[in-house]
Amino acid sequence: PRSTLFPYTTLFRSPHAAGDAAYAAGDYAGAAAAYRASVRGDLSNPIVRARLGYALYVSRQFIQAKVEFEHVLHLTNGGDAFARLCLGLTLAALGKADKAADNLEAFAAPQAEDLAALSRRIAGKLRDIGNGDPAPLLLTLERSARAMGFLPEA
């Protein structure tokens, strides 16, 4: 038998619950699919859009991730540090070193000043490598951001 609370718990359940659960479990492909479905009804939710962007980034769907991070930055007037860092990483993965460097230089997080300093150093190195492989630089930044709790585990 159903609880008498069933209609109310269903009514107030987050439309993003499936995406949130998959994201928390590290199932980024599942999170991306669930968030894509749920975000249609909540286009102005920067937290969900940032999580969708990260799920797409980890799934190597860089062009779609870029769109999500740009949208989050638009919604937050450029103030979302997570989206700023992730956009920089995404642009670098797309081979857009100068645009990536611009975003990594603009990354600011008072709670993670060491990470912001590292991001600026890596931005400078991205500008210096030209057509070189940015992967080692990105890996360093990602690992540091995860170790500092700024990015979730991939």
Side-chain angles (χ1 to χ4, degrees):
R2 284 189 178 174
S3 162
T4 57
L5 294 177
F6 177 76
Y8 302 105
T9 57
T10 303
L11 180 66
F12 293 110
R13 183 171 182 235
S14 167
H16 309 296
D20 292 343
Y23 188 88
D27 174 9
Y28 295 112
Y35 282 141
R36 278 185 169 142
S38 69
V39 80
R40 289 187 197 115
D42 194 7
L43 295 174
S44 296
N45 186 324
I47 294 170
V48 172
R49 299 296 293 258
R51 287 180 181 174
L52 172 58
Y54 188 74
L56 292 166
Y57 173 78
V58 171
S59 301
R60 304 189 58 76
Q61 297 177 50
F62 299 127
I63 293 171
Q64 296 93 335
K66 175 184 169 287
V67 169
E68 293 303 325
F69 295 132
E70 288 173 338
H71 192 77
V72 170
L73 290 170
H74 174 75
L75 290 171
T76 62
N77 295 317
D80 188 292
F82 178 82
R84 177 69 63 198
L85 178 66
C86 289
L87 179 59
L89 291 168
T90 301
L91 289 166
L94 287 167
K96 299 180 181 300
D98 284 338
K99 288 183 179 181
D102 290 344
N103 278 278
L104 294 176
E105 285 171 349
F107 170 69
Q111 74 279 21
E113 290 180 13
D114 289 344
L115 183 59
L118 176 62
S119 181
R120 288 189 298 275
R121 284 195 304 276
I122 287 179
K125 290 180 180 183
L126 275 176
R127 291 189 195 283
D128 292 341
I129 65 168
N131 291 332
D133 182 12
L137 296 172
L138 301 180
L139 186 59
T140 298
L141 185 55
E142 284 183 22
R143 284 182 176 165
S144 296
R146 285 190 185 99
M148 294 178 190
F150 199 83
L151 289 180
E153 293 299 321

